[in-house]
Amino acid sequence: LKEIKDILKLRHEEYYDVETVIRYMGCKNTLKENLTSVERFKQGIIEIIPDLCDAIDSLNYEMATEKLDYILHQRPWKMHSMANYQLGKIYCDLNETQIVSKREWALEQVELFSKEFAKKWVTIIPQEMSFDEIKLLVTVSCYLEKIEQEKEKRT
C-alpha cells in the first residue's frame, strides 16, 4: 500500500484513499470486542491489493478508485434517517485541524451513529478513541452492513 501511494504521488495522481487505508491498517484497536469486525474489514483490504497493483501498473486509476471506494465508502441501503448527516459530520469534522465546536458536534454524531447503527458491528467510545479509530469503526460498520444487505438481497 505504501508503494502504491508512492507511485501515485510520483505520477501526480490522487492518493488520499490509499493514505486512509494505510492509516486504517495501522490503526490501534482499543477494544477486544471490535477485533473480529475490524479483521474482516482488513481482510477485505488485503484481498483487493493485487487488483490495486494491477490497476496501477496498467494506469487504470478508475479501477483502482472503484476498488478503494468499495472498501472505504460503502453505504448500506437501509440506514436510519440521520445516517448520511452523521457520516458527513464524522468524516469531515472529526479531525485535529477542525475548530473545537465542530469536533465536539462530530463526536456527538459519532455517539448517535453508534447507538443507531454501528452497535450491531462495533463498539465505539468516542471520548476514549482516536479520530482514526472512530472513523475506522464507522467505516467497518458500514462495510459489514452493506455486505450483509447484499447477501440478503441475493437470497
Side-chain angles (χ1 to χ4, degrees):
L1 290 171
K2 289 178 183 174
E3 288 176 20
I4 290 171
K5 176 188 165 193
D6 291 343
I7 289 168
L8 290 172
K9 200 173 181 181
L10 192 67
R11 294 178 183 170
H12 303 285
E13 295 292 334
E14 179 59 51
Y15 57 90
Y16 177 79
D17 282 347
V18 176
E19 228 173 26
T20 300
V21 169
I22 291 167
R23 276 197 326 274
Y24 287 173
M25 290 297 281
C27 190
K28 185 174 183 253
N29 187 31
T30 58
L31 295 177
K32 195 167 35 171
E33 58 262 36
N34 291 334
L35 196 56
T36 301
S37 292
V38 171
E39 286 305 313
R40 281 182 63 194
F41 174 77
K42 287 182 177 182
Q43 188 57 44
I45 292 171
I46 291 167
E47 289 170 8
I48 69 160
I49 290 175
D51 291 337
L52 279 176
C53 290
D54 291 344
I56 300 303
D57 287 345
S58 63
L59 306 177
N60 190 345
Y61 304 118
E62 188 175 318
M63 183 203 289
T65 299
E66 287 173 12
K67 294 288 181 184
L68 289 168
D69 278 349
Y70 183 79
I71 296 291
L72 293 177
H73 306 292
Q74 285 292 343
R75 294 297 178 267
W77 297 291
K78 298 178 220 161
M79 295 180 85
H80 61 287
S81 63
M82 293 297 291
N84 286 326
Y85 173 79
Q86 291 164 348
L87 289 169
K89 293 300 171 189
I90 293 165
Y91 288 118
C92 293
D93 293 342
L94 200 59
N95 61 67
E96 295 298 333
T97 61
Q98 190 54 269
I99 61 172
V100 174
S101 62
K102 286 191 173 195
R103 281 198 315 251
E104 288 172 353
W105 181 246
L107 287 170
E108 287 181 41
Q109 298 314 302
V110 170
E111 186 75 36
L112 295 170
F113 185 82
S114 178
K115 289 177 181 175
E116 290 276 337
F117 182 83
K119 68 181 178 186
K120 177 179 178 181
W121 300 105
V122 294
T123 301
I124 303 173
I125 306 171
Q127 304 303 334
E128 297 178 17
M129 295 177 164
S130 71
F131 295 160
D132 277 347
E133 184 177 15
I134 290 169
K135 290 177 185 178
L136 167 63
L137 295 174
V138 167
T139 303
V140 166
S141 68
C142 290
Y143 172 79
L144 294 176
E145 183 64 24
K146 177 74 181 250
I147 289 171
E148 184 172 281
Q149 288 181 16
E150 286 176 350
K151 284 180 186 175
E152 288 172 5
K153 190 177 179 184
R154 284 186 288 231
T155 57

